[in-house]
């Protein structure tokens, strides 16, 4: 289902709200890197994000190396950032 890409003003407002997330891919995505004590902690976090992604029907692009998890959020259906990325980022931050 189609969803609107954020305007530059909406994007800046969302980013101001999301201190740790940075703009990437020429404004088409936001990214954040998380560091945990060890792999087990990192993977437990990923499991919780996965459940969140399913419940919001919005899925991260991510990678994991040992205790680090890199997450990028973008909305393919919008061709860039949408409100779904902002709410997903907030929900991920709330897991910490
Ligand atoms: C059909 C399904 O609802 C869509 O493909 C959803 C699923 N998860 C998604 N995840 C992300 N990150 N972007 C999307 O546009 C997207 N679309």
């Amino acid at each position: 289902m189609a969803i609107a890409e954020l305007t530059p003003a909406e994007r800046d407002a969302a980013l101001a709200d999301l201190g740790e997330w940075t703009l990437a891919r020429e404004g088409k995505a936001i990214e954040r890197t998380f560091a945990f004590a060890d792999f087990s902690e990192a993977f437990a976090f990923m499991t919780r994000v996965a459940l969140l992604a399913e419940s919001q029907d919005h899925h991260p692009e991510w990678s994991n190396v040992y205790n680090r998890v890199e997450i990028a959020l973008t909305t393919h259906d919008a061709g860039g950032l949408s409100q779904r990325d902002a709410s997903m980022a907030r929900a991920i931050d709330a897991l910490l």
Side-chain angles (χ1 to χ4, degrees):
M1 147 144 178
I3 177 160
E5 184 175 10
L6 295 180
T7 65
E10 289 170 335
R11 187 189 69 197
D12 292 347
L15 264 175
D17 224 40
L18 296 165
E20 307 290 326
W21 293 79
T22 58
L23 213 52
R25 302 184 202 170
E26 294 172 342
K28 299 292 186 189
I30 50 176
E31 293 181 344
R32 179 172 176 183
T33 298
F34 300 84
F36 298 90
D38 52 27
F39 175 76
S40 180
E41 294 290 324
F43 198 77
F45 169 73
M46 292 176 80
T47 303
R48 298 170 77 200
V49 172
L51 295 173
L52 204 63
E54 282 292 90
S55 73
Q56 296 197 5
D57 191 25
H58 198 60
H59 300 86
E61 296 178 21
W62 57 5
S63 67
N64 159 244
V65 178
Y66 184 50
N67 68 328
R68 295 172 73 80
V69 179
E70 290 182 15
I71 298 184
L73 299 175
T74 186
T75 302
H76 311 113
D77 298 347
L81 281 173
S82 77
Q83 207 51 60
R84 298 176 77 189
D85 300 303
S87 15
M88 185 72 181
R90 273 193 295 274
I92 290 173
D93 285 353
L95 293 176
L96 298 173

